Amino acid sequence: MTRASKRNKPTKISPPPSAKKPKPSTEDEESRFSGDPFPADEALRRWPNRYHLKSKEQASSSKGSVGGVLQARCHYRQAIADGIVYDLNDDAYIQGEEGEPNYIGKIVEFFETTKKEFYFTAQWFFRPEDTMMKDKSNLVNRKRVFFSDATDDNPLDSIVQKVNIVQLPLDFDPAHKEELISSADLYCDMGYSEQFFTFDRINAAGISKVGIDVSLPVTSEICMASKVQESSKTVLDLYSGCGAMSTGLCLGAQLSGQRLVNRWAVDINTYACESLKKNHPETKVRNEAAEDYLCLLKEWQKLCTEYGLLGSKQNEDAASETISSESNKDEDKTKDSSVSTDEFEVQDLVDVCYGDPNNVQNRGLYFKVRWKGYGSSDDTWEPIDGLSNCEEHIKEFVTSKYKSMMLPLPGDVDLICGGPPCQGVSGFNRFRNREDPLEDEKNKQLIVYMDIVEYLKPKYLLMENVVDLVKLAKGALASYAMARLVSMNYQCRLGIMAAGSYGVPQCRMRIFLWGADIRENLPQFPLPTHKVAGKGITPNEFKEIIVGRDNELPSQLERNIFLGDAISDLPKVTNYEDRDAREYGTAPCTDFQKFLRLQKQDLFGFNIAGKNGSQKRMLYDHIPLRLNVDDYERVCLIPKIKGANFRDLRGVLVGKNKKVKWDPSIPRQMLTSGNPLVPDYAMTFRGGTSKKPFARLAMDEIVSTVVARAQPHNRAMIHPKQDRVLTIRENARLQGFPDCYKLYGPVKQRYTQIGNAVAFSVSIPMGYALGQAMEGVNSSQPLKLPFKFPECLGQISALNKKKLEESD
């Protein structure tokens, strides 16, 4: 058998019965072609790469191949192996290597070589175990296989036997589907490509039968949308943080002509939720654990069903009118009644949650009650069982909130996005479970994320995470995520993107996982627009899913965006700056700075700022983490030169092996406080080889990554020219946050929100890619962006102004 590359050929798991070794003899009566060959002109038209050798002299002197492609004398429609007749497009088990199980392939070509050898070409099926799902393939039906575009040439006598593979559309009638599956050996409803480990619709995977191309058209040119569609698509931002991912996706989709609206958001961090609410008051933000949110959604659906709200539209309107009428009557009654001093009367229900809001070890469904005669500060959470006499209040609340879509029901969400925290895979976690990270409680949010997807059934999903997701345990968590999606019949693809490749001054690599319902186009990844000097560390097995590797890159990329390009216009501040808002007092020095200074009215229309929003340009969050006295003294002693760090302090020597050691010729240097100038942890960090402790950044360099902690003890984060760490706003600039995006909470919490966010330089292009898929673009290759960051912010501003003019 002709060997394929390890990358293209599926591994082999379970052999079929009556497996046999291939027989090399072409004279064997059991393996031969049957019937007349294809007419020469038809064979040449269908398989032109097989007929480069035209003369007998060339054929006799050749090795029988041109450019690695076996050359043919003629092609056939039919062959016989072991007395069984095989036609083109038959599916078969194909003999594996010695001691190995068999391959599964579709026969797409029969041909006799110029050396008079009998060959066929197989287009391979992948078993679940052969794909990115690996050992998590137990989540998928064992009869399921995935068609690929990988092919190999094989000796005719390596065919073992036929296999009955029924090919089904993913949206096939479930009852009929089970009937067909039970009568078949295997079934196939999805294609698989090793490019970004992609699972997608068979017709979108570029799979073709002999001479018949059934792939969907590929759009090579992408045009900017001049007008955004009026109908909006809804977004649920899970593990939302301060909302950078969903905000960028909505902005990017706008450039594709789609209107995405971040309708719901969930995060357990109170301050992140406050930031999202203040920047997106139209979003229904919930500050709770994702697992409680899922329980709430399920209970909410039960309530909506109980009160008849999930029936016909007429019933919904009638129910709403009835409740409204009864509500008005109740209000009239309550106005005239008085409250007893020793009794409490329910005035309204103002919120609902699932969990244990009173911390009494009693989890369940709770309503927040506004008591008659009391204000909001006296609201209490009451279990639903304790409100048995408040049926009408509950009904009124559920009806009202159902109409306002306070919570999504299955089918309401067009896109779920978010990055479930997986602290159990972090390289900073010395106690992580390397063998089975899914058993680590710190990684359970990945399961919750997929459970919410399974429950709500969105049309699209986009999950983001750290690259450690594929580095730990051979990518077990990424395998699980893809297996869950495929088991839910979602198309999906996995890629790694570097923030700096899209126009910000940091490397920062992250994993992204697209998912799409089978009736939708699976979004692609956008190709890089900028060169990036630094690089992240990715396991060899996963280097090929870095977006923009090798020949995928556009021919011309913009130069690196450097730190100075992003922050050189910001006014000087000291270690003790504490003003949350101030005027710039400076002009932008670069296009990067000019576009990031755009106001909310420019970027979001008037949905956020309001028509009467202030036109005064203010700078927010330009505050550094205030260093303690010792650290501030150390920072002041770090030279203001490129590459300076703790190694430049007195008492430190660097040996020939580039490891630091104490200078024995002088006593250990001390600070004013009496503590050591150079702390022990700086000398021992990374075995004494690191240059990161108390390191200054340089204006003509990029930052490795923006982190959630602003301490300079093991990260380079000291300002190039000022004696302080980078401010919150400077870190935000490195992530591509527009200056108008204000953060809330204590200083450390604001650093955390920025460090945990998805860079706008990435989320905007991803939003554009999603919009293209929604627009009907179905590409088998990554997208070439028609814009660059942050200039695209100016284009978004122009679209908003045009929309405003049209509305006026």
Side-chain angles (χ1 to χ4, degrees), residues 297-316 319 398 402 407-410 412 455:
L297 295 180
K298 293 178 179 179
E299 293 297 327
W300 184 250
Q301 185 180 23
K302 291 178 185 177
L303 288 171
C304 291
T305 301
E306 179 181 347
Y307 293 116
L309 299 172
L310 299 182
S312 67
K313 183 67 169 61
Q314 292 82 354
N315 289 340
E316 294 173 19
V398 173
Y402 168 79
L407 292 166
L409 292 164
D412 285 346
Y455 179 73

Side-chain angles (χ1 to χ4, degrees), residues 66 78 82 90 94 97 202 235 257 310 403 435 446 453 560 620 626 632 646 698 773 802:
V66 174
Q78 195 175 78
D82 276 344
D90 278 349
I94 298 158
E97 298 171 4
I202 289 181
V235 180
L310 299 182
K403 290 179 69 66
E435 300 301 321
L446 178 59
V453 168
N560 288 329
Y620 302 105
R626 183 175 296 185
Y632 179 60
F646 81 101
K802 183 175 181 180

Side-chain angles (χ1 to χ4, degrees), residues 435-447:
E435 300 301 321
D436 192 354
L438 208 56
E439 290 301 312
D440 191 332
E441 190 64 31
K442 294 180 178 179
N443 297 328
K444 292 295 184 183
Q445 292 305 311
L446 178 59
I447 299 175

Side-chain angles (χ1 to χ4, degrees), residues 399-528:
T399 302
S400 170
K401 300 306 180 184
Y402 168 79
K403 290 179 69 66
S404 67
M405 296 184 74
M406 179 186 77
L407 292 166
L409 292 164
D412 285 346
V413 182
D414 291 298
L415 168 69
I416 288 180
C417 68
C422 293
Q423 293 96 334
V425 305
S426 172
F428 294 104
N429 179 7
R430 293 181 298 153
F431 306 102
R432 57 187 181 173
N433 188 332
R434 295 177 180 274
E435 300 301 321
D436 192 354
L438 208 56
E439 290 301 312
D440 191 332
E441 190 64 31
K442 294 180 178 179
N443 297 328
K444 292 295 184 183
Q445 292 305 311
L446 178 59
I447 299 175
V448 176
Y449 183 95
M450 290 300 164
D451 288 345
I452 293 175
V453 168
E454 186 166 18
Y455 179 73
L456 287 176
K457 298 177 176 60
K459 292 183 177 67
Y460 299 93
L461 68 98
L462 177 61
M463 190 185 84
E464 174 266 352
N465 224 294
V466 294
V467 177
D468 292 281
L469 203 74
V470 296
K471 290 170 65 176
L472 187 65
K474 298 182 178 179
L477 292 180
S479 296
Y480 168 80
M482 298 198 81
R484 280 294 303 272
L485 290 179
V486 173
S487 71
M488 292 184 265
N489 288 335
Y490 275 93
Q491 307 167 82
C492 56
R493 63 167 46 102
L494 186 75
I496 298 175
M497 300 173 70
S501 296
Y502 298 88
V504 290
Q506 63 161 328
C507 298
R508 194 187 182 99
M509 302 185 78
R510 288 292 184 266
I511 283 279
F512 289 90
L513 175 61
W514 276 121
D517 181 272
I518 49 93
R519 289 158 291 196
E520 311 296 338
N521 294 316
L522 179 62
Q524 260 293 355
F525 291 111
L527 283 171

Side-chain angles (χ1 to χ4, degrees), residues 193-263:
S193 168
E194 288 195 308
Q195 185 185 42
F196 304 122
F197 301 128
T198 300
F199 294 86
D200 59 1
R201 297 179 304 208
I202 289 181
N203 62 343
I207 294 170
S208 60
K209 296 184 178 181
V210 177
I212 305 175
D213 185 2
V214 296
S215 61
L216 294 178
V218 175
T219 303
S220 58
E221 291 193 10
I222 303 167
C223 300
M224 295 284 288
S226 59
K227 185 175 181 179
V228 176
Q229 290 187 354
E230 293 301 322
S231 60
S232 62
K233 305 293 194 304
T234 59
V235 180
L236 166 61
D237 194 347
L238 284 176
Y239 312 97
S240 62
C242 63
M245 187 174 185
S246 53
T247 302
L249 288 170
C250 292
L251 292 175
Q254 191 175 355
L255 292 171
S256 275
Q258 291 288 330
R259 184 167 180 260
L260 278 183
V261 176
N262 187 12
R263 189 177 291 274

Side-chain angles (χ1 to χ4, degrees), residues 616-800:
K616 194 173 184 179
R617 293 182 182 273
M618 298 296 291
L619 176 62
Y620 302 105
D621 304 306
H622 192 37
I623 308 171
L625 175 70
R626 183 175 296 185
L627 300 172
N628 62 44
V629 174
D630 284 355
D631 282 345
Y632 179 60
E633 188 173 347
R634 290 174 180 128
V635 167
C636 289
L637 293 173
I638 301 295
K640 294 180 176 62
I641 58 175
K642 185 173 181 177
N645 56 66
F646 81 101
R647 295 178 171 215
D648 296 288
L649 298 175
R650 279 179 55 81
V652 180
L653 295 178
V654 180
K656 293 181 179 178
N657 56 5
K658 296 185 180 180
K659 288 187 177 182
V660 291
K661 61 181 180 179
W662 299 112
D663 185 347
S665 67
I666 61 173
R668 189 167 183 181
Q669 302 296 293
M670 297 296 170
L671 297 166
T672 305
S673 65
N675 292 322
L677 170 61
V678 179
D680 290 339
Y681 60 77
M683 298 293 288
T684 58
F685 186 60
R686 304 289 189 196
T689 62
S690 178
K691 298 179 182 179
K692 291 183 177 179
F694 296 95
R696 281 198 186 274
L697 298 166
M699 288 295 192
D700 61 351
E701 290 183 337
I702 65 173
V703 178
S704 59
T705 187
V706 173
V707 295
R709 296 177 71 249
Q711 299 288 354
H713 302 155
N714 58 9
R715 286 283 177 181
M717 56 181 56
I718 301 176
H719 190 279
K721 301 298 180 183
Q722 300 170 38
D723 292 325
R724 58 172 177 80
V725 296
L726 294 184
T727 65
I728 299 167
R729 180 52 52 193
E730 286 166 338
N731 267 10
R733 286 270 186 101
L734 301 185
Q735 289 274 59
F737 274 78
D739 287 354
C740 62
Y741 209 95
K742 191 177 185 313
L743 285 305
Y744 294 84
V747 169
K748 285 186 178 180
Q749 285 289 337
R750 282 184 263 176
Y751 274 104
T752 298
Q753 292 172 43
I754 294 296
N756 289 340
V758 174
F760 273 77
S761 65
V762 172
S763 59
I764 290 176
M766 292 293 270
Y768 177 80
L770 173 64
Q772 286 291 290
M774 290 177 169
E775 286 282 310
V777 174
N778 182 54
S779 175
S780 62
Q781 297 298 321
L783 299 175
K784 184 175 180 181
L785 293 169
F787 58 79
K788 294 178 177 65
F789 185 86
E791 288 83 356
C792 59
L793 298 177
Q795 293 167 313
I796 292 168
S797 175
L799 287 174
N800 286 330

Side-chain angles (χ1 to χ4, degrees), residues 536-569:
I537 300 174
T538 309
N540 288 332
E541 184 179 0
F542 298 99
K543 282 187 176 179
E544 291 189 2
I545 65 170
I546 297 176
V547 180
R549 279 179 58 83
D550 305 327
N551 59 355
E552 292 177 351
L553 286 173
S555 56
Q556 291 186 346
L557 295 176
E558 296 291 321
R559 71 159 179 86
N560 288 329
I561 298 296
F562 294 124
L563 178 63
D565 296 325
I567 71 169
S568 63
D569 65 317

